[in-house]
Amino acid sequence: MPAASSPPARQTYRHGDLRRALLEAGIALARAGGPAAVTLREATRRVGVAPNAAYRHFANQQDLLLGVRAHALSGVARAMEAALAALPPGLSPADHARASVRAVGTGYLRYAKAEPGLFRTAFALSDNLIQATPEWPTAGDSGRNPHELLCDALDLLVQAGAMPAARRPGAEVLAWSAVHGLAMLVIDGPLATPVGPHYEMFSQRLLTMVEQGL
């Protein structure tokens, strides 16, 4: 009679490794199911440890969600930075400023389409929406978070004389609202079917409206 196979050895983690593993599990959960899917119980199940082990690293589910949210916001910022890095050289200051506004909007919209679960998670909390904490940075490689990258681009418009300084206060609210609205209506609303297949085209048309409206 063949000997019974022994159960697989349980993986153990050094201090700090489990925290990273739980965060990565939370990111995977958010990517697949948005913020509601991010639970400590499911993260520990995926990692293969007892639920109580998570509380050495995350005080509660909200704490894990904060970490996942920071990762998602950093992803938004990096998508915006990638679009900015692709701008052609040699533009006039005014054209560069306009192109920068379009680039940050393009990166934002592309991230929403490519990573809808993480995008929802990035903006799932009603308080402390963008600002980082010392523990959870929300910036991209430039050290700027999505809100700061948008404000930087709008400031360039004023500096280049492409937007009157009197119209700068609050411009980020209007631009952000328009771009975020399109993203959410496509990934989570009634525009998924009519706009989804033509997302890039509608994105660029919206950004033209935003740029001209500023």
Side-chain angles (χ1 to χ4, degrees):
M1 183 175 180
S5 59
S6 58
R10 186 171 188 172
Q11 188 175 4
T12 59
Y13 293 88
R14 298 184 303 276
H15 180 71
D17 290 348
L18 177 55
R19 180 179 178 82
R20 168 54 54 181
L22 289 168
L23 179 60
E24 289 175 354
I27 292 167
L29 289 167
R31 177 173 281 121
V38 181
T39 66
L40 279 174
R41 180 169 293 277
E42 180 59 20
T44 55
R45 189 193 69 79
R46 290 193 173 204
V47 171
V49 296
N52 286 345
Y55 293 106
R56 302 189 193 115
H57 305 283
F58 296 95
N60 48 41
Q61 179 178 334
Q62 184 82 347
D63 196 21
L64 176 60
L65 184 60
L66 281 171
V68 176
R69 165 189 167 273
H71 170 87
L73 282 168
S74 295
V76 175
R78 284 191 291 272
M80 296 164 82
E81 290 167 348
L84 286 167
L87 292 180
L91 296 174
S92 69
D95 286 344
H96 177 75
R98 294 187 188 97
S100 295
V101 172
R102 294 184 71 93
V104 296
T106 296
Y108 190 96
L109 287 163
R110 286 177 177 169
Y111 186 87
K113 184 69 170 176
E115 294 282 10
L118 289 174
F119 183 80
R120 295 184 191 102
T121 305
F123 303 105
L125 303 180
S126 60
D127 58 337
N128 193 24
L129 186 60
I130 288 294
Q131 294 302 316
T133 66
E135 186 177 18
W136 299 121
T138 59
D141 296 332
S142 67
R144 308 292 280 171
N145 67 38
H147 181 257
E148 290 167 338
L149 289 168
L150 171 59
C151 288
D152 291 346
L154 293 171
D155 290 343
L156 284 178
L157 284 176
V158 176
Q159 294 165 17
M163 181 171 71
R167 294 174 63 178
R168 173 62 186 87
E172 70 277 9
V173 175
L174 302 176
W176 188 7
S177 298
V179 173
H180 189 79
L182 176 63
M184 292 306 298
L185 285 168
V186 171
I187 69 172
D188 246 359
L191 294 185
T193 298
V195 172
H198 313 287
Y199 185 70
E200 186 71 18
M201 182 269 288
F202 276 101
S203 295
Q204 294 307 311
R205 286 185 62 183
L206 174 72
L207 292 171
T208 297
M209 290 176 57
V210 169
E211 176 195 331
Q212 293 176 351
L214 292 171

